[in-house]
Amino acid sequence: MNVNYIWYFLTFLTLVSAIMVVVVRNPIHSVLYLILTFFCISAHYVLLNAQFLAAVNVIVYAGAIMVLFLFVIMFLNLREYTAESKTNLVKLGAAVLGGVLLVIIVAALRSMQIEPLNKATYNSQVGMVESLGKVLFRDYLLPFELITVLFFVAMVGAVMLGKRETGERNF
Amino acid sequence: MLSIISLSLFGILNLFLGFLKSRRVLLPATLLFIALAFAANLLDWNHQYVYFRDMLRTNNLFINFSSIILLTTFLTVAISRSFGTDEEHTHPAEYYAIMLFSVVGALMMVGFENLIMLFIGLEILSVSLYVLTGSDKRSLRSNEAALKYFLMGSFATGIFLFGIALVYGATGSFNLSAIGSYVSGGPTTGISPLLYVGLLFILAGMLFKVSAAPFHFWTPDVYDGAPTLFTAFMSTVVKTAGFAALYRLLTVSFTGVYGLWWQVLTGVTVLTLLVGNITAVYQSSVKRMLAYSSVSHAGYLLIAVAAKTPQSPSAILFYSLAYSIATITGFAVLILVAEQKPIEGRPDERYEAFNGLAKRNPLLAFSLAVSMVSLAGIPLTAGFWGKFFVFSTAVDRGMTNMGMVLVVAVLMSVVGVYYYFRVIIASYLKTGDSEPIGIRPLYRFILVLTTALTIGLGLFPDVVRQLF
């Protein structure tokens, strides 16, 4: 089977599930559609020869983060999504802005020229852990080390804000 | 580079100091750490280094910007007292550590040579500030501000990251000079349209972080809700680092498409100046007024970026220095005055709280007056020269391009005089309580120092200009 058909099918599925995330009213269904979207995007990664990224995307996003999402939603017991009170002016403004952004991106993509792949020099191992590790620990060593500061701040902040204290509002 | 490493280590050390029984050691220790980082930073003066395969570049410009950031952090930490009276339930060690870590992010934003470094620096700074904004856990306003800042900030970060991805898609590189040579060298097929979209998204993300209109809507609420100390920190360090990053990114990478981003930036500048200054007039709380004033100062700084002359970096440096010092003085006085007579447990930040301040404590009133005069840009203060240098970059660029911006900027400076002088009039001409306000020695020292710096830089701007 031609790989193009797989691509069309996947893209169709991604778009439909992504739109459903926004459209459905039940938050739990919304999260489930989001998981489907992440799986479709992972499949796209595989088609793009980025196997490691695909695996990480499934494990981290579709696995860990979405479970957390579901957990929080069930915890908060949000059954129905209550309609938000936005004025028509805000809705119109948002629609115009979003439409302009869409036009800009579509126009940019349409006039873009992509150079065809050179089959003789293409390295098929580019998406594997080995080449990723080489780039990460050689070229991007400093950002890799400094991102620990970011995680550390997030951790310290979460502990600090999450700690229950006297005189504080607990829901 | 040494300052980044040392600050990361000092932050961890600070957390360990939190285990000590006595909280007294924390403040002097943090001040010492910042001073050490400042000294380590100066070691590289007149040297050019590139670290870790083009990830970080240190030169005199880097040292100047990071010195301003470290100086403002030092002043902010020095005016922090105890983070609330409740000794048992506050976490000063964590706050100080997060402040040190956020400076690491700010320094990365100043010296980045790679867009990944810029992104990580921006994230470290932002995440630290989300936490610091919400650090007053008992106050609903603080919680609301933190959540609002977090949601809007992460959305802006997403747009910024998307922009970086598009620029990578167009140029095939995260490296600033590689992008720069792609843009100005001009590939045979012409510049990919993805680059323009990417540049637009990156600009939107950066302008959000420095709170320029129309991305400023979070600023008043967040600055108002956050504890005043961290408002002072946010409105100075983030501005300096953000403008250093914006200038560096636009001049090194995107000089070739100046005609494109110049138009966007001048539009944003005019809007920021109008919105910031005119809205500040209608505020009844001094803290909210200072929040809108920080929006308007982002507008003045944007003029120097949009003008892009060889004098721009030194104009941005001088303006950030003058603005940071004056803003910290203003907030320091606000902290003291507002907590004198709380309304319903909250500090009183209205203009009326300043009534008769000159009689209650002449030093507070005088330093407040000097800082407001400096923010308004009246001669003999640092703020005047800041505005002067910024406006002269615009004049250098040419009146046909920047004429409109200059007219708006001068008019809005006049509007600024009105709301800054309202505070001075309240403290000198109106009568209020006569109960004197006491200040601790370190606080007094910092106020005297910042006031002296503001006046000193106003009289002898060349002392610092030679370094920039």
Side-chain angles (χ1 to χ4, degrees), chain A residues 52-133:
Chain A
F52 179 70
L53 207 57
V56 168
N57 193 42
V58 167
I59 293 170
V60 175
Y61 281 91
I65 292 182
M66 282 298 122
V67 169
L68 205 68
F69 246 90
L70 268 182
F71 182 73
V72 169
I73 287 175
M74 287 172 175
F75 191 67
L76 290 178
N77 206 8
L78 287 175
R79 290 209 162 269
E80 270 298 303
Y81 176 75
T82 45
E84 46 187 323
S85 54
K86 286 267 192 313
T87 58
N88 280 335
L89 191 69
V90 172
K91 279 182 188 162
L92 184 74
V96 169
L97 271 181
V100 168
L101 206 60
L102 182 72
V103 168
I104 290 175
I105 294 178
V106 168
L109 286 176
R110 273 179 61 85
S111 54
M112 202 178 71
Q113 289 158 345
I114 301 170
E115 288 171 33
L117 211 61
N118 187 347
K119 282 180 185 156
T121 58
Y122 183 69
N123 176 13
S124 66
Q125 298 298 303
V126 72
M128 294 298 184
V129 190
E130 192 187 347
S131 44
L132 188 84

Coordinates of all heavy atoms in Angstrom, one line a residue, chain A residues 52-133:
Chain A
F52 N 12.1 7.4 18.2 CA 12.3 7.6 19.6 C 11.3 8.7 20.1 O 10.6 8.5 21.2 CB 13.7 8.1 19.9 CG 14.0 8.4 21.3 CD1 14.0 7.3 22.3 CD2 14.2 9.7 21.8 CE1 14.3 7.6 23.6 CE2 14.4 9.9 23.1 CZ 14.4 8.9 24.0
L53 N 11.1 9.7 19.3 CA 10.2 10.8 19.7 C 8.8 10.3 19.8 O 8.0 10.6 20.7 CB 10.3 11.9 18.6 CG 9.9 13.3 19.1 CD1 10.8 13.7 20.2 CD2 10.1 14.3 17.9
A54 N 8.4 9.4 18.9 CA 7.1 8.8 18.9 C 6.9 8.0 20.2 O 5.8 8.2 20.8 CB 6.9 7.9 17.7
A55 N 7.9 7.2 20.6 CA 7.7 6.4 21.8 C 7.6 7.4 23.0 O 6.7 7.2 23.9 CB 8.9 5.5 22.0
V56 N 8.5 8.4 23.1 CA 8.4 9.3 24.2 C 7.1 10.0 24.3 O 6.5 10.2 25.3 CB 9.6 10.3 24.1 CG1 9.4 11.5 25.1 CG2 10.9 9.6 24.4
N57 N 6.6 10.4 23.1 CA 5.3 11.1 23.0 C 4.2 10.3 23.6 O 3.4 10.8 24.4 CB 5.0 11.5 21.6 CG 3.9 12.6 21.5 OD1 3.9 13.5 22.3 ND2 3.0 12.4 20.6
V58 N 4.2 9.0 23.2 CA 3.1 8.1 23.8 C 3.3 8.0 25.3 O 2.3 8.1 26.0 CB 3.2 6.8 23.0 CG1 2.3 5.8 23.8 CG2 2.7 6.9 21.6
I59 N 4.5 7.7 25.7 CA 4.7 7.4 27.1 C 4.4 8.6 28.0 O 3.7 8.6 28.9 CB 6.2 6.9 27.4 CG1 6.4 5.6 26.7 CG2 6.5 6.8 28.9 CD1 7.8 5.2 26.7
V60 N 5.0 9.8 27.6 CA 4.9 11.0 28.4 C 3.5 11.6 28.3 O 2.8 11.8 29.3 CB 6.0 12.0 28.1 CG1 5.8 13.2 28.9 CG2 7.4 11.3 28.5
Y61 N 3.2 12.0 27.1 CA 1.9 12.7 26.9 C 0.7 11.9 27.0 O -0.1 12.0 27.9 CB 1.9 13.5 25.6 CG 2.8 14.7 25.7 CD1 4.1 14.7 25.3 CD2 2.3 15.9 26.1 CE1 4.9 15.8 25.5 CE2 3.0 17.0 26.3 CZ 4.4 16.9 25.9 OH 5.2 18.1 26.1
A62 N 0.6 10.9 26.1 CA -0.6 10.1 26.1 C -0.7 9.2 27.4 O -1.8 9.0 28.0 CB -0.6 9.2 24.9
G63 N 0.4 8.9 28.0 CA 0.5 8.1 29.2 C 0.3 8.9 30.4 O -0.7 9.1 31.0
A64 N 1.4 9.5 30.8 CA 1.5 10.1 32.1 C 0.6 11.4 32.2 O -0.2 11.4 33.1 CB 3.0 10.5 32.4
I65 N 0.8 12.3 31.3 CA 0.1 13.6 31.5 C -1.4 13.5 31.4 O -2.1 14.1 32.1 CB 0.7 14.7 30.6 CG1 2.2 14.9 31.0 CG2 -0.1 15.9 30.6 CD1 2.9 15.9 30.2
M66 N -1.8 12.7 30.4 CA -3.2 12.6 30.2 C -3.9 11.8 31.3 O -5.1 12.1 31.7 CB -3.5 11.9 28.9 CG -3.3 12.8 27.7 SD -4.4 14.1 27.8 CE -3.4 15.5 27.8
V67 N -3.2 10.9 31.9 CA -3.8 10.2 33.1 C -4.0 11.2 34.2 O -5.0 11.2 34.9 CB -2.9 9.0 33.6 CG1 -3.3 8.5 34.9 CG2 -2.9 7.9 32.5
L68 N -3.0 12.1 34.4 CA -3.1 13.1 35.4 C -4.3 14.0 35.1 O -5.1 14.4 36.0 CB -1.8 14.0 35.3 CG -1.4 14.7 36.6 CD1 -1.0 13.7 37.7 CD2 -0.3 15.6 36.4
F69 N -4.5 14.4 33.8 CA -5.6 15.2 33.4 C -6.9 14.5 33.8 O -7.8 15.1 34.5 CB -5.6 15.3 31.9 CG -5.3 16.7 31.4 CD1 -4.0 17.1 31.2 CD2 -6.4 17.5 31.1 CE1 -3.8 18.3 30.7 CE2 -6.1 18.8 30.6 CZ -4.8 19.2 30.4
L70 N -7.1 13.3 33.4 CA -8.3 12.5 33.7 C -8.5 12.5 35.2 O -9.6 12.7 35.7 CB -8.2 11.1 33.2 CG -8.7 10.8 31.8 CD1 -8.5 9.4 31.4 CD2 -10.1 11.2 31.7
F71 N -7.4 12.2 35.9 CA -7.5 12.1 37.4 C -8.1 13.4 38.0 O -9.0 13.4 38.8 CB -6.1 11.8 37.9 CG -6.1 11.6 39.4 CD1 -6.6 10.4 40.0 CD2 -5.5 12.5 40.2 CE1 -6.6 10.3 41.3 CE2 -5.5 12.3 41.6 CZ -6.1 11.2 42.1
V72 N -7.5 14.5 37.5 CA -7.9 15.8 38.1 C -9.4 16.1 37.8 O -10.2 16.5 38.6 CB -7.0 16.9 37.6 CG1 -7.6 18.3 37.9 CG2 -5.6 16.8 38.2
I73 N -9.8 15.8 36.5 CA -11.1 16.0 36.1 C -12.1 15.2 36.9 O -13.1 15.7 37.4 CB -11.3 15.8 34.6 CG1 -10.6 16.9 33.8 CG2 -12.8 15.8 34.2 CD1 -10.6 16.7 32.4
M74 N -11.8 13.9 37.1 CA -12.7 13.1 37.9 C -12.7 13.5 39.4 O -13.7 13.5 40.0 CB -12.2 11.6 37.8 CG -12.5 11.0 36.5 SD -11.8 9.4 36.3 CE -12.4 8.9 34.7
F75 N -11.5 14.0 39.8 CA -11.4 14.5 41.2 C -12.3 15.7 41.4 O -13.0 15.8 42.4 CB -9.9 14.8 41.4 CG -9.6 15.1 42.8 CD1 -9.6 14.1 43.7 CD2 -9.1 16.3 43.2 CE1 -9.2 14.3 45.0 CE2 -8.8 16.6 44.5 CZ -8.8 15.5 45.4
L76 N -12.3 16.6 40.5 CA -13.1 17.8 40.6 C -14.5 17.6 40.3 O -15.4 18.4 40.5 CB -12.5 18.9 39.7 CG -11.2 19.5 40.0 CD1 -10.8 20.5 39.0 CD2 -11.2 20.1 41.4
N77 N -14.9 16.4 39.7 CA -16.2 16.0 39.5 C -16.9 17.0 38.5 O -18.0 17.5 38.8 CB -17.0 15.9 40.8 CG -18.2 15.0 40.7 OD1 -18.3 14.3 39.6 ND2 -19.0 14.9 41.7
L78 N -16.3 17.4 37.4 CA -16.9 18.3 36.5 C -17.7 17.4 35.5 O -17.1 16.7 34.7 CB -15.8 19.0 35.7 CG -15.0 20.1 36.4 CD1 -13.9 20.5 35.5 CD2 -15.9 21.2 36.7
R79 N -19.0 17.5 35.6 CA -19.8 16.6 34.7 C -20.1 17.4 33.4 O -19.8 16.9 32.3 CB -21.1 16.2 35.4 CG -20.8 15.3 36.5 CD -22.0 14.3 36.7 NE -21.6 13.2 37.4 CZ -21.2 12.1 36.9 NH1 -21.2 12.0 35.5 NH2 -20.9 11.0 37.6
E80 N -20.7 18.5 33.5 CA -21.1 19.2 32.3 C -20.3 20.5 32.2 O -20.1 21.2 33.2 CB -22.6 19.5 32.3 CG -23.5 18.4 31.7 CD -23.2 18.2 30.2 OE1 -23.3 19.2 29.5 OE2 -22.8 17.1 29.8
Y81 N -20.0 20.8 31.0 CA -19.2 22.1 30.8 C -20.3 23.2 30.8 O -21.1 23.2 29.9 CB -18.5 21.9 29.5 CG -17.8 23.1 29.0 CD1 -16.6 23.5 29.6 CD2 -18.3 23.9 28.0 CE1 -15.9 24.6 29.2 CE2 -17.6 25.0 27.6 CZ -16.4 25.4 28.2 OH -15.7 26.5 27.8
T82 N -20.2 24.1 31.7 CA -21.1 25.2 31.7 C -20.7 26.3 30.7 O -19.5 26.6 30.6 CB -21.2 25.9 33.1 OG1 -19.9 26.1 33.6 CG2 -22.0 25.0 34.1
A83 N -21.7 26.7 30.0 CA -21.5 27.7 28.9 C -20.9 29.0 29.5 O -21.3 29.5 30.6 CB -22.7 28.1 28.2
E84 N -19.8 29.4 29.0 CA -19.1 30.6 29.5 C -19.8 31.9 29.0 O -20.4 31.9 27.9 CB -17.7 30.6 29.2 CG -17.4 30.3 27.7 CD -15.9 30.1 27.5 OE1 -15.1 30.9 28.1 OE2 -15.5 29.2 26.7
S85 N -19.8 32.9 29.7 CA -20.5 34.1 29.4 C -19.5 35.1 28.7 O -18.9 36.0 29.3 CB -21.1 34.8 30.6 OG -20.0 35.0 31.6
K86 N -19.3 34.9 27.4 CA -18.5 35.8 26.6 C -19.4 36.7 25.8 O -20.4 36.2 25.3 CB -17.6 35.0 25.7 CG -16.4 34.3 26.4 CD -15.2 35.2 26.4 CE -13.9 34.5 26.8 NZ -14.0 33.7 28.0
T87 N -19.0 37.9 25.7 CA -19.9 38.8 24.9 C -19.6 38.5 23.4 O -18.6 37.9 23.0 CB -19.5 40.3 25.1 OG1 -18.1 40.5 24.9 CG2 -19.8 40.7 26.6
N88 N -20.5 39.0 22.6 CA -20.4 38.7 21.1 C -19.2 39.4 20.6 O -18.6 38.9 19.6 CB -21.7 39.2 20.4 CG -22.8 38.2 20.6 OD1 -22.5 37.0 20.8 ND2 -24.0 38.7 20.5
L89 N -18.8 40.5 21.1 CA -17.7 41.3 20.6 C -16.4 40.5 20.8 O -15.6 40.4 19.9 CB -17.6 42.6 21.4 CG -16.6 43.6 20.8 CD1 -17.1 44.1 19.4 CD2 -16.4 44.8 21.7
V90 N -16.3 39.9 22.0 CA -15.1 39.0 22.3 C -15.1 37.9 21.3 O -14.0 37.5 20.8 CB -15.1 38.6 23.7 CG1 -14.0 37.6 24.0 CG2 -15.0 39.8 24.7
K91 N -16.2 37.2 21.1 CA -16.3 36.1 20.2 C -15.9 36.5 18.8 O -15.1 35.8 18.1 CB -17.7 35.5 20.2 CG -18.0 34.6 21.3 CD -19.4 34.0 21.2 CE -19.8 33.3 22.4 NZ -21.2 33.1 22.5
L92 N -16.4 37.6 18.4 CA -16.1 38.1 17.0 C -14.6 38.4 16.9 O -13.9 38.0 15.9 CB -16.9 39.4 16.7 CG -16.7 40.0 15.3 CD1 -17.5 39.1 14.3 CD2 -17.2 41.4 15.2
G93 N -14.0 39.1 17.9 CA -12.6 39.4 17.9 C -11.8 38.2 17.8 O -10.8 38.1 17.0
A94 N -12.1 37.2 18.6 CA -11.4 35.9 18.7 C -11.5 35.2 17.3 O -10.5 34.7 16.8 CB -11.9 35.0 19.8
A95 N -12.7 35.2 16.7 CA -12.8 34.6 15.4 C -12.0 35.3 14.3 O -11.3 34.6 13.6 CB -14.3 34.6 15.0
V96 N -12.0 36.6 14.4 CA -11.2 37.4 13.4 C -9.7 37.1 13.5 O -9.0 36.7 12.6 CB -11.5 38.9 13.5 CG1 -10.5 39.7 12.6 CG2 -12.9 39.2 13.0
L97 N -9.2 37.1 14.8 CA -7.8 36.9 15.0 C -7.4 35.5 14.6 O -6.4 35.3 14.0 CB -7.5 37.1 16.5 CG -7.2 38.5 16.9 CD1 -6.9 38.6 18.4 CD2 -5.9 39.0 16.2
G98 N -8.2 34.5 15.1 CA -7.9 33.2 14.7 C -7.9 32.9 13.2 O -7.0 32.3 12.7
G99 N -8.9 33.6 12.5 CA -9.0 33.4 11.1 C -7.7 34.0 10.4 O -7.2 33.4 9.5
V100 N -7.3 35.2 10.9 CA -6.1 35.9 10.3 C -4.9 35.0 10.5 O -4.1 34.8 9.5 CB -5.9 37.3 10.9 CG1 -4.5 37.8 10.6 CG2 -7.0 38.2 10.5
L101 N -4.8 34.4 11.7 CA -3.6 33.5 11.9 C -3.6 32.3 11.0 O -2.6 31.9 10.5 CB -3.7 33.1 13.4 CG -2.4 32.7 14.1 CD1 -1.5 33.9 14.1 CD2 -2.7 32.3 15.5
L102 N -4.8 31.8 10.8 CA -5.0 30.6 9.9 C -4.5 31.0 8.5 O -3.8 30.2 7.9 CB -6.4 30.1 10.0 CG -6.7 28.9 9.1 CD1 -6.1 27.7 9.8 CD2 -8.1 28.7 8.9
V103 N -5.0 32.1 8.1 CA -4.7 32.6 6.7 C -3.2 32.7 6.6 O -2.6 32.3 5.6 CB -5.4 33.9 6.4 CG1 -4.9 34.5 5.1 CG2 -6.9 33.6 6.2
I104 N -2.5 33.4 7.6 CA -1.1 33.6 7.5 C -0.3 32.3 7.4 O 0.5 32.1 6.6 CB -0.6 34.3 8.8 CG1 -1.1 35.8 8.8 CG2 0.9 34.3 8.9 CD1 -0.8 36.5 10.1
I105 N -0.7 31.3 8.3 CA 0.0 30.0 8.3 C -0.2 29.3 7.0 O 0.7 28.7 6.4 CB -0.4 29.2 9.5 CG1 0.1 29.9 10.8 CG2 0.2 27.8 9.4 CD1 -0.3 29.2 12.0
V106 N -1.5 29.3 6.5 CA -1.8 28.5 5.3 C -1.0 29.2 4.1 O -0.4 28.5 3.3 CB -3.3 28.5 5.1 CG1 -3.6 28.0 3.7 CG2 -4.0 27.6 6.1
A107 N -1.0 30.5 4.1 CA -0.3 31.2 3.0 C 1.2 30.9 3.0 O 1.8 30.6 2.0 CB -0.6 32.7 3.1
A108 N 1.7 30.9 4.2 CA 3.2 30.6 4.3 C 3.5 29.2 3.9 O 4.4 28.9 3.2 CB 3.6 30.8 5.8
L109 N 2.6 28.2 4.3 CA 2.8 26.8 3.9 C 2.7 26.6 2.4 O 3.4 25.8 1.8 CB 1.9 25.9 4.7 CG 2.2 25.7 6.2 CD1 1.2 24.9 6.9 CD2 3.6 25.1 6.3
R110 N 1.7 27.3 1.8 CA 1.4 27.1 0.4 C 2.6 27.5 -0.5 O 2.9 26.9 -1.5 CB 0.2 27.8 0.0 CG -1.1 27.0 0.2 CD -2.3 27.9 -0.3 NE -2.2 28.2 -1.7 CZ -2.6 27.5 -2.7 NH1 -3.2 26.3 -2.4 NH2 -2.5 27.8 -3.9
S111 N 3.2 28.7 -0.1 CA 4.3 29.2 -0.9 C 5.6 28.6 -0.5 O 6.7 29.1 -1.0 CB 4.3 30.7 -0.8 OG 4.4 31.1 0.5
M112 N 5.7 27.6 0.4 CA 6.9 27.1 0.8 C 7.4 26.0 -0.2 O 6.6 25.3 -0.8 CB 6.8 26.4 2.2 CG 8.0 26.3 2.9 SD 7.7 25.6 4.5 CE 7.3 24.0 4.1
Q113 N 8.7 26.0 -0.4 CA 9.3 25.0 -1.2 C 10.1 24.0 -0.4 O 11.0 24.5 0.3 CB 10.2 25.6 -2.3 CG 9.3 26.3 -3.4 CD 10.1 27.4 -4.1 OE1 11.2 27.7 -3.6 NE2 9.6 27.8 -5.2
I114 N 9.8 22.8 -0.5 CA 10.6 21.8 0.3 C 11.5 21.0 -0.6 O 11.1 20.5 -1.7 CB 9.6 20.8 1.0 CG1 8.7 21.6 1.9 CG2 10.4 19.8 1.8 CD1 7.6 20.7 2.5
E115 N 12.8 21.0 -0.3 CA 13.7 20.3 -1.1 C 13.5 18.8 -1.0 O 13.3 18.3 0.1 CB 15.2 20.7 -0.7 CG 15.5 22.1 -1.0 CD 16.8 22.5 -0.4 OE1 17.7 21.6 -0.3 OE2 17.0 23.7 -0.1
P116 N 13.5 18.1 -2.1 CA 13.3 16.7 -2.1 C 14.5 16.0 -1.4 O 15.6 16.5 -1.4 CB 13.2 16.3 -3.5 CG 13.9 17.4 -4.3 CD 13.7 18.6 -3.5
L117 N 14.2 14.9 -0.8 CA 15.2 14.1 0.0 C 16.2 13.5 -1.0 O 15.8 12.9 -2.0 CB 14.5 13.1 0.8 CG 15.1 12.7 2.1 CD1 15.1 13.9 3.0 CD2 14.2 11.6 2.7
N118 N 17.5 13.6 -0.6 CA 18.5 12.9 -1.4 C 18.6 11.5 -0.8 O 19.1 11.3 0.3 CB 19.8 13.6 -1.3 CG 20.9 13.0 -2.2 OD1 20.7 11.9 -2.7 ND2 21.9 13.8 -2.4
K119 N 18.2 10.5 -1.6 CA 18.1 9.1 -1.1 C 19.5 8.5 -0.8 O 19.7 7.6 0.0 CB 17.4 8.2 -2.0 CG 15.9 8.4 -1.8 CD 15.1 7.5 -2.7 CE 13.6 7.9 -2.6 NZ 12.8 7.5 -3.8
A120 N 20.5 9.0 -1.5 CA 21.9 8.5 -1.4 C 22.5 8.9 -0.1 O 23.2 8.0 0.5 CB 22.7 8.9 -2.6
T121 N 22.3 10.1 0.3 CA 23.1 10.6 1.5 C 22.2 10.5 2.7 O 22.7 10.9 3.8 CB 23.5 12.0 1.3 OG1 22.4 12.8 1.0 CG2 24.5 12.1 0.1
Y122 N 20.9 10.1 2.6 CA 20.1 10.2 3.8 C 20.4 9.2 4.9 O 20.6 8.0 4.5 CB 18.6 10.1 3.4 CG 17.7 10.2 4.5 CD1 17.5 11.5 5.2 CD2 17.0 9.1 5.0 CE1 16.6 11.6 6.2 CE2 16.1 9.3 6.1 CZ 15.9 10.5 6.7 OH 15.1 10.7 7.8
N123 N 20.6 9.6 6.1 CA 20.9 8.7 7.2 C 19.6 8.2 7.8 O 18.9 9.0 8.5 CB 21.8 9.5 8.2 CG 22.1 8.6 9.4 OD1 21.9 7.4 9.4 ND2 22.6 9.2 10.5
S124 N 19.3 6.9 7.6 CA 18.0 6.4 8.1 C 18.0 6.3 9.6 O 17.0 6.1 10.2 CB 17.8 5.0 7.5 OG 18.7 4.1 7.9
Q125 N 19.2 6.4 10.3 CA 19.2 6.2 11.7 C 19.0 7.5 12.5 O 19.2 7.5 13.7 CB 20.6 5.6 12.1 CG 20.9 4.2 11.5 CD 19.8 3.2 12.0 OE1 19.7 3.0 13.2 NE2 19.1 2.6 11.1
V126 N 18.6 8.5 11.8 CA 18.6 9.9 12.4 C 17.7 10.0 13.6 O 18.0 10.7 14.5 CB 18.3 10.9 11.3 CG1 16.9 10.9 10.9 CG2 18.7 12.3 11.8
G127 N 16.6 9.2 13.6 CA 15.6 9.4 14.6 C 15.8 8.4 15.8 O 15.0 8.4 16.7
M128 N 17.0 7.7 15.8 CA 17.2 6.7 16.8 C 17.8 7.3 18.1 O 18.3 8.4 18.0 CB 18.1 5.6 16.3 CG 17.5 4.8 15.2 SD 16.0 3.9 15.8 CE 15.6 3.0 14.4
V129 N 17.8 6.6 19.1 CA 18.3 7.1 20.4 C 19.8 7.5 20.3 O 20.2 8.4 20.9 CB 18.1 6.1 21.5 CG1 18.4 6.7 22.9 CG2 16.7 5.5 21.5
E130 N 20.5 6.7 19.5 CA 21.9 6.9 19.5 C 22.3 8.2 18.9 O 23.0 9.0 19.6 CB 22.6 5.8 18.6 CG 24.1 5.7 18.8 CD 24.7 4.8 17.8 OE1 24.0 4.0 17.2 OE2 25.9 4.9 17.6
S131 N 21.7 8.6 17.8 CA 22.1 9.9 17.2 C 21.5 11.0 18.1 O 22.2 12.1 18.2 CB 21.6 10.0 15.8 OG 20.3 9.5 15.7
L132 N 20.4 10.8 18.6 CA 19.8 11.8 19.5 C 20.7 12.1 20.7 O 21.0 13.2 21.1 CB 18.4 11.4 20.0 CG 17.6 12.5 20.7 CD1 16.9 13.4 19.8 CD2 16.7 11.9 21.7
G133 N 21.2 11.0 21.3 CA 22.0 11.1 22.5 C 23.3 11.8 22.1 O 23.8 12.7 22.9

